[in-house]
Amino acid sequence: FFKQKTAYEIHERLVGSEMCIRDRLGPLGSVGVVGLHLLSHLAYAIAFLPLQGRYLRLTEGLFPRRTVSPKYLSPEALETPSLAYALVQRELGRVADAVRNMLARAVRVLAQEEGGEAELEALEDKVDRLTREVVLYTAQLSTRTQEERAVRFFVAASELEHLGDLVRRVVRQAEKLWAQGLTFSPEGKEDLLEAGRLVLGRLERMAAALATGDKALAEGVLSEEREVAAFLDRLRRAHLSRLESGRAESRATTLAHLDLLITLEEVSSGVDRLCRLVLEL
């Protein structure tokens, strides 16, 4: 009873308030409360248009965009080459970690069969920016020291940037396939995911070895080289077997499937090259 009475009183007050607003607005009162609400928003939008540039500058001033920049590369450290080399190695660890995150997202995209290159843009931008800074910093080190070590760091930075491009290619190829309304067969998809997870694990360990200079860890990754090659060869043969059996999904996606396997193999080979560089640093 009390709830009904309260609801009734609220209703009476709202009706009374609406009538009061209408009476005071004259002709505009005929549009109703909802109409007035919409008209007010329209007025705000029209008034905002000539001022949007100022609001944008004010917003950017209050909330500046975060830019990617080196965390460890210190110009002062160039005076002490041993310290500078150590800082370069730590910065390369950041780059390798970003590439690792790119591959992790790429594997997730393949598993969920949704998403695309846009999910990798921020990480790829980080890889590119940091790689550029490392290369420029290493060039200064090379000028000062004339040591072969600087060349190895230079090559390592280039390898990491190339791995980022390869990972993006993985997602691009899958996205292109889905845009055509095609999907991998369940077996083919699982093979690709297994290959992706294998390479991701190797990339993670290489990144740790590069950041810390752990040569034993790098050697452990390199010891798997033949085993990984044999595994990828088995996946190709499994795909060929599905083609021979006439699987429609396998026939429709065969070029994309083989291209992804080749790309993942190239990523794995890049991991091996970086591990060898770790042993030389």
Side-chain angles (χ1 to χ4, degrees):
F1 171 75
F2 287 109
K3 290 182 179 179
Q4 291 178 351
K5 183 179 179 181
T6 302
Y8 177 76
E9 289 177 350
I10 293 174
H11 176 72
E12 287 295 316
R13 290 179 182 178
L14 289 174
V15 172
S17 299
E18 182 182 348
M19 293 178 64
C20 181
I21 293 172
R22 288 182 180 181
D23 291 341
R24 294 192 177 190
L25 290 175
L28 287 177
S30 61
V31 300
V33 175
V34 175
L36 288 173
H37 184 72
L38 293 175
L39 285 174
S40 67
H41 278 284
L42 178 61
Y44 296 150
I46 293 174
F48 174 77
L49 290 176
L51 300 174
Q52 60 180 337
R54 294 183 180 179
Y55 281 118
L56 180 59
R57 288 192 293 273
L58 176 61
T59 302
E60 290 178 345
L62 293 174
F63 307 101
R65 295 180 181 179
R66 295 183 62 184
T67 57
V68 177
S69 59
K71 187 176 180 179
Y72 300 108
L73 303 183
S74 168
E76 294 76 15
L78 290 170
E79 301 298 329
T80 310
S82 59
L83 173 60
Y85 280 122
L87 294 178
V88 170
Q89 192 157 355
R90 294 184 71 182
E91 200 68 55
L92 282 175
R94 289 185 69 204
V95 181
D97 190 56
V99 175
R100 178 264 170 208
N101 289 336
M102 286 182 67
L103 185 55
R105 292 191 184 185
V107 171
R108 186 171 69 246
V109 167
L110 286 175
Q112 297 175 349
E113 295 187 351
E114 61 180 13
E117 290 184 83
E119 296 189 27
L120 305 181
E121 286 181 357
L123 284 169
E124 185 180 36
D125 181 64
K126 181 177 182 178
V127 170
D128 291 344
R129 287 175 181 268
L130 293 182
T131 299
R132 178 179 180 277
E133 294 299 325
V134 168
V135 166
L136 294 176
Y137 192 85
T138 304
Q140 294 182 67
L141 262 176
S142 178
T143 301
R144 289 169 180 260
T145 66
Q146 298 296 314
E147 293 180 3
E148 185 66 21
R149 190 179 183 186
V151 177
R152 296 191 183 102
F153 278 119
F154 181 90
V155 173
S158 301
E159 283 283 1
L160 286 171
E161 194 273 335
H162 180 57
L163 289 187
D165 291 341
L166 290 174
V167 173
R168 183 157 186 164
R169 179 179 169 184
V170 169
V171 177
R172 184 187 304 123
Q173 187 65 33
E175 191 177 12
K176 181 179 177 182
L177 184 73
W178 298 330
Q180 300 173 40
L182 301 173
T183 57
F184 298 108
S185 68
E187 297 87 350
K189 175 182 174 181
E190 187 55 38
D191 283 355
L192 290 173
L193 288 175
E194 194 172 356
R197 293 180 188 122
L198 174 66
V199 176
L200 176 60
R202 304 188 78 228
L203 180 54
E204 287 178 334
R205 284 177 287 149
M206 178 278 294
L210 180 60
T212 62
D214 190 330
K215 291 180 170 50
L217 187 57
E219 288 174 346
V221 176
L222 284 172
S223 68
E224 306 166 349
E225 196 170 1
R226 290 186 179 179
E227 182 180 348
V228 171
F231 171 76
L232 293 174
D233 184 62
R234 286 197 300 273
L235 294 188
R236 290 192 186 89
R237 292 176 183 275
H239 178 68
L240 177 60
S241 178
R242 289 191 292 272
L243 288 176
E244 291 174 341
S245 66
R247 292 288 297 273
E249 291 168 302
S250 298
R251 292 172 65 88
T253 62
T254 184
L255 294 181
H257 185 100
L258 293 174
D259 185 75
L260 286 177
L261 283 179
I262 290 173
T263 304
L264 288 171
E265 186 174 34
E266 290 180 8
V267 173
S268 187
S269 296
V271 168
D272 292 329
R273 289 192 295 271
L274 282 162
C275 284
R276 292 191 180 91
L277 284 171
V278 171
L279 298 180
E280 298 173 359
L281 292 177

